[in-house]
Structures are given as C-alpha cells and as structure tokens.
Amino acid sequence: MSSERKQDHIENYFKSQFKANTLFENIYIEHFALTDLNFNDIDTNTTFLGKKLSFPLLINAMTGGAEVSYDINENLARLCKEFNIALEVGSQKIALKDENLKDTFTIIQEIFDKDNTLIANISALSCVDEAKKCIEMINADAIALHLNPAQELIQIEGDRDFSNILQNIENIVKTLKIPVIVKETGCGISKKVCKELLNVGVKYIDVGGFGGTNFIEIENLRREDLDFTNMYGWGIPTAKSIIDCRSLSKDFTLIASGGIKTSEDILKSLVLGSDMVAIAGEVLKYLVYGGYKMAQDYLKSLIYQTKVLMMLVGCKNIEQLKNIDYKIFGKLKNILD
Ligand SMILES: Cc1cc2nc3c(=O)[nH]c(=O)nc-3n(C[C@H](O)[C@H](O)[C@H](O)COP(=O)(O)O)c2cc1C
C-alpha cells in the first residue's frame, strides 16, 4: 500500500459513477399509524465491543497514510466523538512500512478518549505480528481484517496469492486477545463464506456488500492496459448478504455495510437482523465536498430520521427492531439462498 495509491483511491472514489443496487429497495416494511410512543423515549443506544454507543453506527475503514489522510482522520474522529459512534481506520499496512506516516492514524487518539470506540484495519493476508502492531499503533478496541480479492486482482500491484487465507484468519482470531472483525469491501460476504468464518471462530462479520463504493471501478480507473468496465456489476447486494449471513446464526455480531446512505437503509439493515451499520463513502463525500459542518448535518439528520422511522414502526429501541415484520419481493426474493 503506497501513499500515492491511497490518494488515488480517494480521488477515484469521487470519479466513480457506476450506479449499483443494494436491493434494500426490495424490502417492504409497513407503516404503523397507531404508534403510541413518545418521541423523547426513542432510545438508539447500543453496546458494541464492550463500549456504549449513542447510535449503532460505525464510520467504516477509509484512510490513513496519504497526504489528505491526516485531516480526514482528524475530522472523522471529531465526528465520531461528537455523535458517540465508532470509527475504523483504513489499512495500516502503509504505516507499518513507513513510520513517518503513523501520525495520519494516531491523530485519532489525540481526539478520542477511553470511552470512544476505535478499530484497527489490515488485510486478512497479514500475519499475527502485523495485526498486533496495528492494534498497538492506535490502541484499538478490535481489528478488522479485510477480504478484497476483486480489488486486489484488478489492482496492478495487488495481491495474487490468497493461499491459506482462512487458516491465517483462524490463527489471528485464536492468537489475539481482542475481537477480530472480518469484512468485505463492497463485493459482499456470501452464506458459504460466513459459515466458514464462523466455523473458525470469527464472531464479528461486516458484510461489505455490493451497492455502494465500487473498488472494481476505482481500481479500473487506475490502469490503462486492461479494461474491467464490464465487471462493475459484480458482487452480492448488501440486503442479500445481510439476510443470508444472519440466517445461519444469531450468535455473532453482524455489521451491515456497502451502499448505506439513508435512514431507511439503516432501519432496513437493523430490521433484517444487523447489530451495527457502517458507512464509508457517503460520509467521505459530505466531508470532502461540504466540510465538517455538512458531514455533521448529514449525521444529525440520519440519526434524527432513524428515530422518526423507529417511531413509525412502533419500536422504542434498537433491539425491538429485530422483531418487526417485513416482506421481500422482486429480484432479492429470487436470489436469496
Ligand atoms: C476511499 C476509500 C478507501 C477505503 N479504504 C479501505 C481500507 O483501507 N481498508 C478497508 O478495509 N476498507 C476500505 N474501504 C472500504 C470501506 O471500508 C467499505 O467497506 C466500502 O467502501 C463499502 O462501504 P460504502 O459503500 O459505505 O463506502 C475504503 C473505502 C473508500 C471509499
């Protein structure tokens, strides 16, 4: 991971145009006109990684190491502290290779206090020692291991050898003392993959589904020798990934992500059985295009609107959302496992 590549990813994220579908639009949740709750009693608090959050939201892994990363991470940390939500840093490999880049990650610690929730990040191909160094670098509450084969294979300098990746994950999970999240980055986790991860002891899965940030496009914009335009539609839609993974077991923490933008996406994710919801690209968009105030307003509206929707389905707290009825139709119904 080079600093220039990280910069390219951020720039190409803003150039990417492919419109993808999470298939949340194929979930129908009924309005409850006889709501008898008091808006002031709507409670969005939750516990994640042993800490209390005011809202079940994580700003997902994005940055660190590039020129712009210091400011972005500083602002993301301020936002997460202000709203008492969790933050995951971008891949720290870059700072393991070059000590001078560490401060683009450690700036977060200058803003966070012990009550804030911070997650480290590195490739699932990394060794235990690298994972430990990432955790220590930012004194993280957990580490996320990313699975991003589509991105790596399309990236000119990307990984090509994924041998023994599951054994590697198992080794990290069994060696580390803190929780390990396994995440995709936009192509989704299938039921089969989820099962294999659960079998080796993974207890936290971020589905990173299709429908939002598209790394096939982002990497394709970085190369001229081959063209991957016709692969932009590859991936498991986020709604399918959530339903399929959750159908296996209730006994793990499921993080919904990939194309989450609106309060309705959040409501649907939680109704489908997710414990947490994560957003990456959409927050970055508000922050980079609009500045801190715009990102702040976006999160403020998102949280307020989610509370309104909770009221409109008659749920007082996050846990109750898991018992709400919903209907699945259209394409999503046809492709569910
Ligand atoms: C600019 C950018 C950089 C990213 N860098 C990383 C990374 O270093 N590590 C990682 O696990 N995911 C990374 N991601 C993926 C996100 O964490 C997330 O899984 C993905 O973008 C899907 O969520 P979204 O549709 O809300 O953006 C990055 C995303 C963006 C937009």
Side-chain angles (χ1 to χ4, degrees):
M1 171 66 72
S2 72
S3 196
E4 296 80 56
R5 193 188 320 144
K6 198 73 209 177
Q7 191 87 15
D8 282 356
H9 286 163
I10 295 168
E11 284 168 16
N12 288 353
Y13 167 73
F14 288 106
K15 286 184 196 155
S16 62
Q17 289 179 335
F18 187 76
K19 293 277 166 278
N21 270 341
T22 54
L23 293 189
F24 279 127
E25 63 275 20
N26 284 175
I27 303 281
Y28 175 75
I29 299 173
E30 202 115 276
H31 170 64
F32 180 55
L34 208 53
T35 191
D36 57 356
L37 301 170
N38 179 338
F39 189 72
N40 294 329
D41 294 335
I42 301 292
D43 176 8
T44 59
N45 288 305
T46 194
T47 304
F48 178 55
L49 301 169
K51 289 188 176 172
K52 289 213 173 336
L53 299 180
S54 303
F55 192 71
L57 184 65
L58 160 69
I59 296 194
N60 220 340
M62 277 186 284
T63 189
E67 215 180 300
V68 292
S69 299
Y70 188 93
D71 285 350
I72 292 176
N73 276 345
E74 180 179 6
N75 282 316
L76 292 179
R78 284 172 58 207
L79 285 168
C80 288
K81 186 167 181 171
E82 181 179 338
F83 291 97
N84 189 26
I85 56 176
L87 177 60
E88 181 173 321
V89 296
S91 176
Q92 290 164 267
K93 186 101 178 191
I94 203 164
L96 294 184
K97 283 191 179 152
D98 182 351
E99 289 257 325
N100 296 323
L101 300 172
K102 268 190 186 168
D103 66 338
T104 61
F105 293 96
T106 55
I107 171 67
I108 296 167
Q109 283 169 285
E110 288 176 33
I111 293 154
F112 271 16
D113 58 41
K114 61 174 182 24
D115 296 327
N116 298 123
T117 312
L118 184 57
I119 302 166
N121 182 288
I122 198 159
S123 160
L125 292 170
S126 309
C127 65
V128 172
D129 196 43
E130 288 172 315
K132 277 186 181 159
K133 283 184 182 148
C134 292
I135 296 162
E136 280 160 21
M137 189 190 302
I138 55 169
N139 193 20
D141 299 288
I143 185 162
L145 304 177
H146 58 255
L147 297 172
N148 60 342
Q151 178 186 6
E152 296 292 341
L153 291 168
I154 291 167
Q155 186 178 108
I156 297 184
E157 334 81 296
D159 291 317
R160 296 289 182 269
D161 182 4
F162 296 83
S163 317
N164 300 322
I165 193 163
L166 187 62
Q167 289 95 314
N168 192 54
I169 293 171
E170 179 172 21
N171 189 24
I172 295 179
V173 170
K174 298 205 164 133
T175 314
L176 294 186
K177 297 206 167 50
I178 68 167
V180 175
I181 300 170
V182 177
K183 67 174 296 233
E184 240 289 350
T185 60
C187 287
I189 300 274
S190 65
K191 194 170 185 172
K192 187 169 187 289
V193 168
C194 184
K195 198 173 188 175
E196 300 217 15
L197 293 171
L198 296 178
N199 284 344
V200 299
V202 176
K203 291 270 183 209
Y204 295 81
I205 292 178
D206 173 346
V207 299
F210 175 80
T213 299
N214 190 321
F215 269 100
I216 296 180
E217 182 174 13
I218 290 174
E219 290 297 348
N220 194 40
L221 294 173
R222 293 183 63 239
R223 66 186 296 170
E224 283 163 6
D225 57 330
L226 292 175
D227 178 31
F228 293 88
T229 314
N230 54 13
M231 282 184 63
Y232 288 179
W234 182 258
I236 306 166
T238 298
K240 172 173 163 64
S241 206
I242 298 169
I243 296 171
D244 285 346
C245 292
R246 189 40 104 206
S247 73
L248 284 170
S249 160
K250 287 199 162 52
D251 191 26
F252 72 99
T253 300
L254 195 156
I255 304 167
S257 80
I260 308 273
K261 293 186 174 130
T262 67
S263 51
E264 208 173 311
D265 296 337
I266 294 178
L267 181 88
K268 287 179 176 175
S269 296
L270 297 170
V271 168
L272 294 180
S274 309
D275 302 290
M276 285 284 293
V277 178
I279 304 180
E282 194 69 1
V283 173
L284 188 69
K285 217 176 265 177
Y286 278 96
L287 190 59
V288 171
Y289 282 154
Y292 190 84
K293 174 80 172 54
M294 284 279 265
Q296 192 184 34
D297 288 348
Y298 167 65
L299 289 173
K300 210 186 281 176
S301 301
L302 203 61
I303 294 169
Y304 196 94
Q305 286 174 17
T306 305
K307 287 171 99 169
V308 170
L309 287 173
M310 285 171 71
M311 191 86 186
L312 299 181
V313 293
C315 288
K316 207 172 167 169
N317 58 45
I318 301 295
E319 212 41 46
Q320 287 181 358
L321 287 172
K322 291 186 177 157
N323 301 320
I324 287 288
D325 282 339
Y326 59 88
K327 286 197 171 64
I328 304 172
F329 60 94
K331 181 175 172 186
L332 180 57
K333 192 171 182 178
N334 295 334
I335 62 171
L336 277 182
D337 275 354

